[in-house]
Amino acid sequence: MASQQHEKNEIERLDREYTLGTWTRQADFNPTQIADTEGPRIVTADGDSILDFSSQYVCTSLGYDAERIADAVNEQIRTVPYVNPGWSTEPRARLSEKLAEITPGSLKKTFYSTSGTEANEVAFKIARSYTGKHKILSRYRSYHGATAASLSASGDPRRVVQGPEIQPEVPGMVKGPDPYAYGSSLDPEQSLEYIDEMLGLEGDTVAGVLVEPLVGSNGVLTPPDDYLPRLKEIAHDHGALLICDEVMTGFGRTGEWFASTLYETEPDIITMAKGLTGSYQPLAATTVTEEVAEHFEEHLLNQGHTFSGHPTACAAGLAAIETYEEENLVDRAKEMGAYLKTELEALADRHPSVGERRGVGLHQGIELTRSEEKRVPFERREDKMSGEPTVLNEVGASALSEGVYFYTSVNTIVVTPPLTIDEDDVDEAIAALDVALEISDNAME
Ligand SMILES: Cc1ncc(COP(=O)(O)O)c(C=O)c1O
């Protein structure tokens, strides 16, 4: 035990000394070492087992025991570990065929990259080439990635804090309002009308309207059922493509393979990552309809990466999809999501600081409030990057000390466990929240 303790401290010390942490002032970067995993749990070097009710960054949708993926990756590394994307490999070909099968409608051809942000950058280039226009319209409460164009398309506080003096925003990015009935002065219907008007006022120069069908890290915002089909109509009326960023919502999280299906909408382009391999390998994809793909038969697709269609990552993706299928995890997300919803609503009844429960399937969240009537947030958008601890952070820390990990973001506790969880796991997570929410209840106005 003593030597284990020593080893843990040494790893954390090395990490702290030689690694630059993400999205943080380095003085605040003190990561705890994770030394093992089991089912939906991560285990610290101290041996503390933590139930992961966030799936890390909403990405480890298969939990941590997917043997099929481990075997597929191992086998691929031993046969064809890598060739450049100009060659054909079996895992890439079979994964592309599989994605054509599980994505909605006529979505058919896929371009591969390694992260969600790249998948979105690729979508922008494709939409621009296809439409001959240059602007991208996205929404304020959104996150699309950290590279220049995707961050510029994001409305997230992470874009604002960068500021024009540090990272100039890419030109041609315009932003509209969100369907956020709880916290916006526009209702979802008005927000759609606003976007319609904006597209016209931009002189129909917009190539793509980019949305998360069900917003993730900006508060788990569920749109009305008819929102996405209407948005597609509006985009098309103005000659723009609908790009659905399903980096977070893809691969069964909402109880459908893709959240677009939940809203009976076939986007022109879908971007995905995270759940694509259950995060066992870094892999992202941009899938386009047959019609959009056809454009590139004679037009240059001026994009490529060394690791595009990496065979080992594609083998992981294929094995991940087979795992979702064999274990019936998409339907399971629907069933467990219904149970989770009931339990979260009961939790909201017990805790006055829970303002609203939102989300679908295993993509849910609760927004907290200082005042039920006035809907005053505990954590304002600008607090996210300030480094100052908020009541939300305290609630998250309390749940963690009860043994359950939740990701908190923009005044919302994101509840997005792996799709493999059972009712006992939900009960354990709710019990931890019951204790943790005492903190926000006591901090109300
Ligand atoms: C909806 C959405 N799009 C894009 C991204 C960016 O993905 P990545 O971090 O893999 O670049 C994220 C990351 O959280 C996301 O939630």
Side-chain angles (χ1 to χ4, degrees):
M1 189 62 205
S3 70
Q4 264 181 12
Q5 182 70 29
H6 173 78
E7 173 68 7
K8 164 182 147 52
N9 292 340
E10 175 67 358
I11 292 300
E12 290 178 357
R13 189 191 67 73
L14 288 175
D15 211 13
R16 174 75 185 83
E17 180 106 12
Y18 295 108
T19 306
L20 284 169
T22 60
W23 303 117
T24 188
R25 286 159 195 81
Q26 299 305 304
D28 298 331
F29 180 58
N30 287 304
T32 300
Q33 187 196 350
I34 298 304
D36 205 357
T37 56
E38 195 183 16
R41 287 163 203 272
I42 54 174
V43 183
T44 69
D46 277 343
D48 292 335
S49 177
I50 299 167
L51 178 61
D52 181 357
F53 245 59
S54 166
S55 305
Q56 300 301 303
Y57 284 159
V58 198
C59 61
T60 53
S61 301
L62 293 165
Y64 299 95
D65 286 341
E67 285 295 323
R68 181 189 271 270
I69 306 180
D71 292 345
V73 167
N74 207 345
E75 166 78 13
Q76 191 62 40
I77 285 180
R78 288 180 196 285
T79 51
V80 184
Y82 174 79
V83 285
N84 78 44
W87 304 96
S88 182
T89 63
E90 180 168 358
R92 187 180 70 185
R94 294 212 183 282
L95 179 59
S96 299
E97 182 193 28
K98 194 79 201 168
L99 289 174
E101 182 193 318
I102 63 172
T103 47
S106 69
L107 284 149
K108 182 173 177 190
K109 283 201 172 186
T110 295
F111 184 97
Y112 294 103
S113 52
T114 45
S115 59
T117 193
E118 287 168 280
N120 285 325
E121 301 250 356
V122 172
F124 303 158
K125 276 199 184 177
I126 288 176
R128 284 170 176 153
S129 173
Y130 181 80
T131 60
K133 305 174 182 202
H134 71 285
K135 289 184 195 160
I136 299 296
L137 184 147
S138 53
R139 299 180 309 200
Y140 281 101
R141 294 179 176 88
S142 66
Y143 181 65
H144 300 294
T147 52
S150 298
L151 190 62
S152 302
S154 302
D156 192 279
R158 282 170 279 191
R159 170 183 63 95
V160 181
V161 81
Q162 287 275 9
E165 70 286 6
I166 304 175
Q167 178 173 303
E169 284 177 28
V170 168
M173 300 292 180
V174 286
K175 275 175 207 70
D178 321 79
Y180 178 38
Y182 183 80
S184 166
S185 53
L186 296 180
D187 67 32
E189 175 61 34
Q190 288 169 319
S191 79
L192 268 178
E193 287 166 12
Y194 195 114
I195 286 177
D196 191 7
E197 190 159 334
M198 278 182 77
L199 286 165
L201 291 170
E202 291 291 334
D204 287 353
T205 53
V206 171
V209 174
L210 168 71
V211 294
E212 297 166 72
L214 208 162
V215 169
S217 50
N218 278 255
V220 188
L221 310 180
T222 329
D225 284 348
D226 66 347
Y227 178 91
L228 199 63
R230 291 205 41 221
L231 186 66
K232 180 177 170 180
E233 255 175 52
I234 291 169
H236 282 196
D237 283 350
H238 293 279
L241 299 185
L242 177 69
I243 307 169
C244 281
D245 176 342
E246 297 239 23
V247 168
M248 210 177 245
T249 49
F251 299 93
R253 183 141 288 287
T254 64
E256 296 287 348
W257 277 108
F258 292 93
S260 309
T261 306
L262 202 61
Y263 302 114
E264 295 173 7
T265 301
E266 178 191 329
D268 302 294
I269 306 178
I270 289 192
T271 59
M272 53 192 107
K274 298 187 189 265
L276 168 54
T277 64
S279 300
Y280 281 69
Q281 290 282 294
L283 181 67
T286 307
T287 301
V288 303
T289 58
E290 212 165 349
E291 192 183 324
V292 172
E294 182 63 29
H295 167 84
F296 290 98
E297 287 298 310
E298 299 304 330
H299 291 86
L300 178 67
L301 181 51
N302 193 21
Q303 180 77 9
H305 310 284
T306 301
F307 294 151
S308 181
H310 193 291
T312 311
C314 286
L318 197 56
I321 296 174
E322 286 164 0
T323 308
Y324 289 111
E325 284 178 334
E326 248 175 38
E327 297 182 16
N328 216 5
L329 292 175
V330 181
D331 287 342
R332 191 183 168 89
K334 201 177 283 176
E335 279 162 36
M336 291 310 302
Y339 182 66
L340 177 64
K341 181 178 174 194
T342 308
E343 294 303 306
L344 284 175
E345 275 171 0
L347 186 87
D349 289 343
R350 293 194 292 278
H351 295 276
S353 62
V354 178
E356 190 173 60
R357 183 217 64 87
R358 293 191 286 267
V360 178
L362 291 177
H363 188 86
Q364 299 194 38
I366 47 175
E367 174 158 5
L368 304 192
T369 184
R370 279 185 194 281
S371 152
E372 277 177 287
E373 261 170 38
K374 292 188 232 147
R375 300 184 178 179
V376 182
F378 280 109
E379 191 178 77
R380 295 159 310 156
R381 286 167 66 75
E382 54 269 36
D383 294 333
K384 178 165 173 166
M385 308 309 288
S386 72
E388 297 300 319
T390 65
V391 169
L392 261 283
N393 299 142
E394 285 175 44
V395 172
S398 166
L400 189 58
S401 71
E402 296 296 314
V404 185
Y405 172 60
F406 294 95
Y407 162 56
T408 64
S409 183
V410 196
N411 204 41
T412 304
I413 298 175
V414 177
V415 186
T416 52
L419 276 44
T420 51
I421 52 142
D422 59 26
E423 290 191 2
D424 288 346
D425 296 323
V426 173
D427 294 346
E428 190 178 332
I430 296 289
L433 281 177
D434 251 328
V435 174
L437 288 168
E438 294 290 329
I439 293 173
S440 45
D441 288 348
N442 290 332
M444 290 181 77
E445 277 173 4

